[in-house]
Amino acid sequence: MRHCSMFILLFSLAILQLPAQNVNTIEQSVAGRMDVPGNPALSKGLAGFFAGIHNDVMIIAGGSNFPGKELWEGASRVLYDRILVASQNPDGSVSVLETNETLPFPLADGASLSVPSGVLCIGGQTVTGLSRKVFLLRWNGREVETDTLPPLPLPLKGHKAAMAGNRVYVAGGESPLGPSSAVMSIDLGVPSGAWTSLPAMPVPLKDFIFEVQTDGEFPALYVIGGRMKEQDEILTGFYSSVFRFRTRQNIWERRRDIHIPGKGEMALAAAASVTSGSSYIILFGGDTGTVFSQVEEAIHRAGSGNGVMASVRDSLWRTHPGFNDDILAYNTITDAWYVAGKWEGRAPAVTSALWWNDRIVIPGGETGPGIRNPEIIAFNMGHRPGFGWVNYMVLVVYMAGMLGVGFYFMKRGRNADDFFKAGGRIPWWAAGISIFATTLSAITFLAIPAKSYATDWRMLIFNLCIILTVPLIIRYYLPFFRRFNLDTAYEYLELRFSRAVRMAASGLFILFMISRIAIVLFLPSLALHAVTGFSVYWSVILMGVITIIYCT
């Protein structure tokens, strides 16, 4: 009867409760600046640098800016070989120091990646051309150490890197031969590993978003947006496309293009990105290409001897409205796009976003043509649970009702027959509901739907099996046990075989239930934590105590 009551109360809870409102929050702040004493050139900020987290410090290496003049005043781009190390203070602020170590040469526009052993720096633009070098920057607590890894098969810039397990993937970019759609990988777990080729991207791209996120079952590579100028073309093409590379099958798939609710399809390149949770990719800043294309056209026409267009180009640079200020979120399972928030101030491009101590940190970047941002921006991501008083009331009534049922029937339970079968005093329909409710748990209501949401409907068969087996149980099993008037199936095992068999079967079932009950308690605790903020640990303890009292 206890399962019948639990089922009815759960059903009432589902009917009465109002939907909980979880409000996602994105809090933006300035955590620090990239100003370095004695190096005024870096105080203007950097873009196109290598960046990553190692041993709880952020390493920033290389990059470029336009010191002195502005771009429309004839400034020239300068590449750097300096290495900066940023550390977090107890108040959350970030302090930046310039190290005595440098890169092998000035370098920018490469790909970087935080790996367990350091910050991986791959390729990039040098003063004399493109690089194929790959090296690892490690912070030992006092200085930055550099290790050399196998070089890329071809020099690249504007390419991207991502990591799944021990394997690093590098894709796209621009080579001396032109746009590249090549995809290659290397296993960092193999000391003598080498780069291997994978199926090429559907289109050659650079400055795209490249992340590893689950496709519902396994990690997959996601290529979002990007840009590329084909040979003999005047304008650079900006893309809104989204592609997924399934690493298990080695195939590329087209997904839904970048589509912003209320704005429609949008091209985007040179945005910063991070993965969040088990199914999201979050994008910050980036260039939509509208002004970029106007500048390119003006430059082309000015090169044809049109002096007026040179002034148009300078005006476009000077009055640039800034980059995309929508903070976008892409769900890799539902293939849907959302606006998660707004960037306060001028959003960046050509920079990196990094998870650092439970917050997202975005250092520097380009906020306009030739303009660098010396600030280090931090984002605290979270949500404010809003469960609602009606939901709390139903939850309290349910918990109290559970205990009340236990105390109410306590005096009626005199033996095992009363505990398991209510002494045969309940009607058949109540017993049926109780038996059916026994087969249901948090796995039924949470785990199986979540698995179906993430993958497909294959898990449906588990729930259907309950219904399919009921006629067999009613027709053959229940009459058999009623004929022997047994309280449990273990009693029959003793009668049919021996007490040792009964004890073995009972022990195995107890071991099974110990492992199962951990999941059954943990799943609703996660759900309760998500909608109320209540501690998962205290939820497990509370449900465990109430259930023990109720059953006892």
Side-chain angles (χ1 to χ4, degrees), residues 50-59 111-122 134-140 145-149 160-170 185-190 195 211-212 353-356:
F50 300 107
I53 306 297
H54 184 237
N55 283 342
D56 202 29
V57 301
M58 178 169 59
I59 299 175
S112 57
L113 191 64
S114 298
V115 299
S117 54
V119 179
L120 198 61
C121 305
I122 306 169
V134 180
F135 48 90
L136 188 72
L137 302 179
R138 294 183 290 108
W139 175 249
N140 63 12
E145 300 174 340
T146 304
D147 291 335
T148 302
L149 277 70
K160 295 296 179 179
M163 187 173 187
N166 287 327
R167 186 164 291 276
V168 172
Y169 297 87
V170 173
S185 70
I186 187 172
D187 191 343
L188 297 184
V190 179
W195 292 95
E211 293 287 355
V212 172
L354 307 167
W355 277 109
W356 190 11

Side-chain angles (χ1 to χ4, degrees), residues 238-388:
F238 280 71
Y239 292 81
S240 61
S241 55
V242 178
F243 298 100
R244 177 175 68 186
F245 181 72
R246 309 193 82 166
T247 55
R248 296 263 175 153
Q249 294 89 353
N250 264 11
I251 57 173
W252 285 97
E253 299 173 334
R254 182 72 181 261
R255 306 293 286 167
R256 187 184 187 188
D257 290 355
I258 302 174
H259 185 89
I260 311 306
K263 294 185 178 181
E265 187 176 305
M266 183 178 75
L268 193 65
S273 65
V274 294
T275 58
S276 179
S278 60
S279 60
Y280 278 97
I281 299 174
I282 304 177
L283 281 60
F284 300 87
D287 191 357
T288 60
T290 303
V291 179
F292 191 94
S293 298
Q294 296 175 13
V295 170
E296 274 192 323
E297 185 175 358
I299 291 174
H300 172 73
R301 294 176 64 181
S304 303
N306 190 333
V308 175
M309 296 310 297
S311 62
V312 171
R313 173 205 63 193
D314 294 344
S315 176
L316 288 169
W317 278 338
R318 190 168 50 250
T319 61
H320 194 284
F323 299 120
N324 168 55
D325 60 359
D326 284 328
I327 300 173
L328 307 179
Y330 173 62
N331 189 310
T332 59
I333 294 177
T334 62
D335 198 22
W337 286 90
Y338 309 93
V339 176
K342 279 280 189 182
W343 186 286
E344 299 173 8
R346 292 178 69 89
V350 200
T351 184
S352 300
L354 307 167
W355 277 109
W356 190 11
N357 291 343
D358 296 327
R359 65 176 180 172
I360 300 171
V361 177
I362 302 177
E366 180 177 328
T367 56
I371 301 174
R372 306 298 193 242
N373 178 24
E375 295 179 336
I376 298 173
I377 304 298
F379 286 91
N380 288 305
M381 312 287 288
H383 71 276
R384 294 192 305 271
F387 198 49

Side-chain angles (χ1 to χ4, degrees), residues 95-115:
S95 300
V96 179
L97 297 174
E98 184 176 3
T99 67
N100 295 323
E101 300 77 42
T102 62
L103 297 178
F105 37 76
L107 196 58
D109 302 332
S112 57
L113 191 64
S114 298
V115 299

Side-chain angles (χ1 to χ4, degrees), residues 305-477:
N306 190 333
V308 175
M309 296 310 297
S311 62
V312 171
R313 173 205 63 193
D314 294 344
S315 176
L316 288 169
W317 278 338
R318 190 168 50 250
T319 61
H320 194 284
F323 299 120
N324 168 55
D325 60 359
D326 284 328
I327 300 173
L328 307 179
Y330 173 62
N331 189 310
T332 59
I333 294 177
T334 62
D335 198 22
W337 286 90
Y338 309 93
V339 176
K342 279 280 189 182
W343 186 286
E344 299 173 8
R346 292 178 69 89
V350 200
T351 184
S352 300
L354 307 167
W355 277 109
W356 190 11
N357 291 343
D358 296 327
R359 65 176 180 172
I360 300 171
V361 177
I362 302 177
E366 180 177 328
T367 56
I371 301 174
R372 306 298 193 242
N373 178 24
E375 295 179 336
I376 298 173
I377 304 298
F379 286 91
N380 288 305
M381 312 287 288
H383 71 276
R384 294 192 305 271
F387 198 49
W389 67 270
V390 174
N391 290 321
Y392 277 113
M393 183 180 68
V394 172
L395 188 62
V396 170
V397 170
Y398 167 66
M399 295 293 187
M402 287 278 291
L403 291 174
V405 167
F407 284 113
Y408 178 78
F409 288 101
M410 180 175 62
K411 296 180 180 180
R412 301 189 181 189
R414 294 180 297 273
N415 50 43
D417 182 68
D418 285 334
F419 184 82
F420 287 110
K421 298 185 297 182
R425 296 187 297 273
I426 62 173
W428 64 267
W429 56 267
I433 292 177
S434 178
I435 293 172
F436 181 74
T438 303
T439 65
L440 307 179
S441 69
I443 297 174
T444 310
F445 291 110
L446 295 175
I448 293 178
K451 184 67 174 177
S452 300
Y453 162 79
T455 54
D456 50 40
W457 287 81
R458 281 177 290 180
M459 297 297 292
L460 178 65
I461 192 65
F462 286 94
N463 284 339
L464 289 179
C465 284
I466 299 174
I467 300 174
L468 295 176
T469 57
V470 163
L472 295 175
I473 294 173
I474 294 174
R475 177 66 181 82
Y476 297 105
Y477 286 82

